[in-house]
Amino acid sequence: MTAAPADPGLPLPIEDYGLIGDCTTAALVGKNGSIDWLCWPRFDSPSCFSALLGQPKHGRWLIAPRDETTRVTRSYCGDTLVLETVFETADGAFAVIDFMPVGPPGASTVARIVEGRRGRPRVTMHLTLRFDHGSSMPWVTRLPDGGGVSAIAGPNLAVLRTAVPLRGEAFSTIADFAVAEGERIPFVLRYGPSHRPPPEAIDVEAALRDTLAYWRSWSRHCSYHGRHRGAVMRSLLTLKALTFAETGGIVAAPTTSLPEWPGGMRNWDYRFCWLRDATLTLVALMRGGYYEEAKAWRDWLQRSVAGSPADLQIMYGIGGERRLTEWEVPWLPGYQGAAPVRIGNAASGQLQLDVWGEVMDALRLARDGGLASPATAWALQCGALKHLEKIWREPDDGIWEMRGGRRHFTHSKIMAWVAFDRMIRDAEKYGFEAPLERWRATRDAIHAMVCEQGYDAAQGCFTQSFGAPELDASLLLIPAVGFLPIGDPRVAGTIAAIERDLVTHGFVLRYRTESGADGLPAGEGVFLPCSLWLADAYAMQGRWAEAQAMFERVLALRNELGLLSEEYDPRSGRLLGNFPQAFSHLTLVSTAIGLGEHGPIRRSSERRAEGHINGQADSTKPS
């Protein structure tokens, strides 16, 4: 394929980016050889490369041919996070090998090796560092040994080391050189706090070997060997890359403000950890054979929600931080003009009843998977459920974090039912002390309310909120969480209604945005996890061919590196939303493993699939 221009005024299509990371932060590498997004030193730190949300002047790192490119191909080096982009020109070909070494906490590093493959092509390197989301231009000086430059702005320090001669031009660091066949020219950029000595030089070839060995060793632990192993493995690698190693938290995406509609304003910061993803995260990790990561996530979850149940948030920072103040960045024009650019997320202060169900379901799943809980876990859960008993009748903001006012969302009430149901089951199974009679009465009351007020007999389906006719794809989860069986006619009617009203171009919308009831302008793409939920529902109904067809349609939307965003625009054929999106990859893993070769979906936490997949009995009685 023909490459994009070497120096575009606007960022590339979302699907033209690849991901590299070191389990503390991540960078997006464009097909044109430009790293357009990187936050240092953590996922949620201010960005130092912000061209993704503006222009090259807002920070980027380009390594690309000086001459016209005739062909670009890219791929990961097997089951790793080492990315190789090959550029071909009339004068030859070269590869750029991009990676971030994974190691103990310290100086985060982006390494880029230019390797000659054919002829002697000419290469250009442009480094434009702009700290604090593109607003702070650093003071750049040459290193004493002449082998690179350092850049300082406030608390931030970055050091570029290379043997190639560098020059300053237009407030950027530039190099022009040629690379011969078989020659390897490294560029290493390391971050550190400005009040400390600059990070030391590294042996880049040894770092590459170690990085390849790390990811290959990690990938070998994958216990899934089914038909879709390649897609599952790449999704699991992506999830691992979105893990913050120090705490076990997993960010929803490494980016902020990539729009859910071209040029729109549905632009949110996803560099945080959502409780809603907890169950799917544990399902994906444990079914994939990754119990260490599952335990780290479970431990992050329990630490984050500890405290007063009244203070439970729908999302937290990667260290469990609770203050995620949202503000708009006036100096960044937004991805291809989609403004505003938002930092922080005001939805963290919303009331969303469904998160109690997700947390209780996740902790039950962890127990069933053999992840022993701390002695305080049950008391913490009981305190949370006592609070839920007081508030479950209240309206909330719903699963989709709407900003148009609180309502009695049907999915929220169903997940409140899940919270009581899972706690009752754990108490019965493990002999925990609990007010079971009261919990059962509340569970039954929620069930009755949902069936009476959340079901529209005239339409023959459940609706998004009580007394309103609108549909919502989250209702596809009714049989998956066990609220009603798949054979219930009300479930069948809901699936049919969603097929009729929310399926467009073969994919599923979350809900219709035309009414403006969510408090935002109309317009967004199809929501990829919802499309996978419909595949799950088809499989539960025994509609195997339709389930597989839907799953394959979603798979076909991945870019050539196997990465997905949250949404997709069927009309333009473009990925939309923050990228890559953990929720999409989590659901992909769950659906792929559930589909299997011939059998039905097995996503419910009622099944102890984790132990069976690994051939292990649950010999540990959790606390």
Side-chain angles (χ1 to χ4, degrees), residues 234-372:
R234 180 50 54 190
S235 290
L236 287 169
L237 282 161
T238 302
L239 295 175
K240 176 65 173 176
L242 299 180
T243 300
F244 188 63
E246 291 185 46
T247 66
I250 301 177
V251 296
T255 57
T256 179
S257 301
L258 293 182
E260 297 172 2
W261 192 250
M265 61 173 294
R266 294 172 181 262
N267 317 320
W268 315 111
D269 194 344
Y270 273 22
R271 299 172 301 149
F272 308 114
C273 306
W274 266 252
L275 299 190
R276 183 170 297 111
D277 300 353
T279 301
L280 276 176
T281 301
L282 286 168
V283 168
L285 291 173
M286 290 197 289
R287 285 191 174 184
Y290 293 100
Y291 278 74
E292 182 178 338
E293 285 77 12
K295 182 179 182 301
W297 168 248
R298 192 281 314 274
D299 291 348
W300 173 90
L301 177 66
Q302 292 186 165
R303 291 194 306 270
S304 297
V305 303
S308 171
D311 296 331
L312 184 76
Q313 296 185 182
I314 68 166
M315 72 182 83
Y316 295 86
I318 53 181
E321 297 88 354
R322 301 189 175 204
R323 193 175 299 278
L324 308 178
T325 304
E326 182 178 306
W327 59 284
E328 296 179 5
V329 183
W331 57 84
L332 287 176
Y335 174 79
Q336 297 189 354
V341 170
R342 293 183 171 97
I343 302 300
N345 200 312
S348 60
Q350 289 187 349
L351 173 64
Q352 296 181 17
L353 296 174
D354 66 291
V355 298
W356 272 270
E358 297 292 353
V359 169
M360 301 310 173
D361 198 25
L363 294 178
R364 179 168 194 259
L365 179 64
R367 288 191 179 99
D368 285 352
L371 300 181

Side-chain angles (χ1 to χ4, degrees), residues 466-480:
F466 293 178
E470 291 84 6
L471 296 175
D472 193 305
S474 64
L475 302 172
L476 291 167
L477 297 174
I478 289 174

Side-chain angles (χ1 to χ4, degrees), residues 38 92 95 160 197 212 246 312 328 334 396 399 455 501 507 561 564 570 575 599 616:
L38 173 63
L160 173 67
L212 287 167
E246 291 185 46
L312 184 76
E328 296 179 5
D396 75 329
I399 180 176
Y455 184 75
D501 293 345
F507 300 97
L561 299 175
L564 282 172
L575 293 179
Q616 300 168 346

